[in-house]
Amino acid sequence: MPRLFIRYDGLLARGRVVRDRAASVRPGAVELESGEVLPADYIVLATGTTYPFPAKIDTTDAAAAADRLHRLRGELERASGVLLLGAGPVGLEFAGEIAAEWPGKPVTVVDPHADLVSGRFPGEFRARLREQLAGLGVRLLLGTSLAEPPATAPGLVAPFTVRTRSGDVVAADLWFACHGAATGTGYLGAELAGARRADGRLEVTEHLRVAGQETVFAVGDVTGVPEMKTGRLAQQHAEVAAANIRRLIEGDSQLQVYAPQPDAIVLPLGPAGGMSYAPEAGVLGPQETAQIKATFFIEGYLDLLGAADAAMLPSGS
């Protein structure tokens, strides 16, 4: 777990990392909650999305986050049955990890969609996912939803029984919401708020400029680019935005164009299972998937962030 918490100290060769929250962003300046105003010739919005714990950590304190993850493991160990709401990548990865770590522990996944994982993937991809989930003992209830949510709090062991709208009964004592990514863009000033869509994402041009802006760019989950939201594509966005800012600084008006990418995914089910798909590679099975995502790319991110020798952040960081 310590290597999950990476310091940003080595991120910038020139510049500084400021730990604060943006209260208001307008072309030319970012006002922080602390009251400090950061002037900027160019701004890149890369604020991503929030997501229910444990898919994303909901604290900025590394020690508190590590403690919460340790307590989560304790709850999972004590649970006699687990209910996961959502059969997308988050729910399925979580189901695979639980089933692999605690064989025989009942895990049920409920989703109103009729099949696994939204996205344009071959039938073979989903069929083999189903086979592996069945082999792990994961129960899938698709095309239905809960008539009422559990009366207990998510993430804490407490017995409950729920019924789906199709009549299935689920008895468990631990549940998690594995859906509900939300884009927070409330920090946008009046000059930028007009680019915000109904879903909270931002309209961007083919150059990843925020719609109507010359010097403000957006990358990653916060954008309305019509493609799957993945870390790999966010990095590609960042490369295009950085290249275009560099060109503008140099007086070059010929900017790079970002083309939305076809759907692709690496979806592990525990340390030895899962399925992957990319148009250029086709469908890849559990062995290849485990090799691709065995360490969840931690080594690459340590190198990217200039923290190859990083240890866990100290308490209070």
Side-chain angles (χ1 to χ4, degrees):
M1 186 182 293
R3 288 165 67 79
L4 295 178
F5 298 89
I6 304 172
R7 299 190 67 95
Y8 283 1
D9 302 59
L11 176 62
L12 301 174
R14 292 180 293 176
R16 63 187 177 119
V17 175
V18 178
R19 298 191 70 235
D20 205 331
R21 293 184 183 273
S24 179
V25 179
R26 62 184 184 274
V30 175
E31 181 179 347
L32 304 178
E33 286 187 350
S34 63
E36 182 180 3
V37 176
L38 304 176
D41 295 315
Y42 296 91
I43 295 172
V44 180
L45 305 176
T47 46
T49 52
T50 59
Y51 206 95
F53 178 83
K56 289 192 176 180
I57 303 297
D58 52 3
T59 176
T60 59
D61 183 277
D67 179 66
R68 187 160 188 204
L69 289 172
H70 279 298
R71 285 188 281 116
L72 168 64
R73 181 179 178 84
E75 295 295 293
L76 286 167
E77 287 178 338
R78 294 197 302 121
S80 60
V82 182
L83 169 64
L84 304 177
L85 303 181
V90 170
L92 297 187
E93 284 194 36
F94 201 8
E97 290 291 334
I98 296 169
E101 182 68 16
W102 294 281
K105 189 185 295 288
V107 178
T108 300
V109 178
V110 176
D111 196 296
H113 293 93
D115 213 337
L116 305 173
V117 190
S118 62
R120 293 161 289 187
F121 303 119
E124 178 190 359
F125 171 82
R126 291 188 173 89
R128 292 178 66 183
L129 271 179
R130 283 176 174 270
E131 290 174 2
Q132 290 183 59
L133 289 164
L136 289 167
V138 175
R139 180 189 184 193
L140 296 176
L141 300 178
L142 304 180
T144 189
S145 58
L146 298 186
E148 297 288 343
T152 62
L156 297 176
V157 171
F160 62 85
T161 300
V162 290
R163 185 181 298 273
T164 69
R165 297 186 187 280
S166 57
D168 302 286
V169 175
V170 181
D173 55 7
L174 186 63
W175 72 278
F176 298 89
C178 300
H179 62 88
T183 305
T185 50
Y187 56 81
L188 296 178
E191 303 96 325
L192 300 176
R196 184 167 48 217
R197 308 186 322 185
D199 62 2
R201 301 189 192 276
L202 300 178
E203 289 290 351
V204 294
T205 69
E206 62 183 0
H207 307 123
L208 298 182
R209 280 168 159 158
V210 173
Q213 300 298 318
E214 295 295 315
T215 62
V216 182
F217 292 75
V219 301
D221 287 6
V222 76
T223 72
V225 177
E227 60 187 6
M228 291 187 71
K229 302 304 179 185
T230 67
R232 177 179 64 89
L233 296 185
Q235 286 183 236
Q236 292 184 21
H237 290 190
E239 291 170 2
V240 171
N244 285 339
I245 290 171
R246 188 177 298 111
R247 291 186 182 191
L248 289 170
I249 291 172
E250 295 171 349
D252 185 354
S253 61
Q254 298 299 311
L255 302 186
Q256 280 191 26
V257 171
Y258 180 80
Q261 298 299 297
D263 293 349
I265 193 170
V266 179
L267 202 167
L269 296 175
M275 294 296 298
S276 302
Y277 172 77
E280 66 274 17
V283 176
L284 303 177
Q287 182 175 356
E288 296 93 339
T289 299
Q291 290 174 346
I292 293 170
K293 212 168 183 179
T295 63
F296 292 89
F297 310 117
I298 290 174
E299 295 297 335
Y301 285 113
L302 286 169
D303 182 62
L304 180 68
L305 296 174
D309 298 320
M312 178 175 166
L313 291 171
S315 176
S317 294

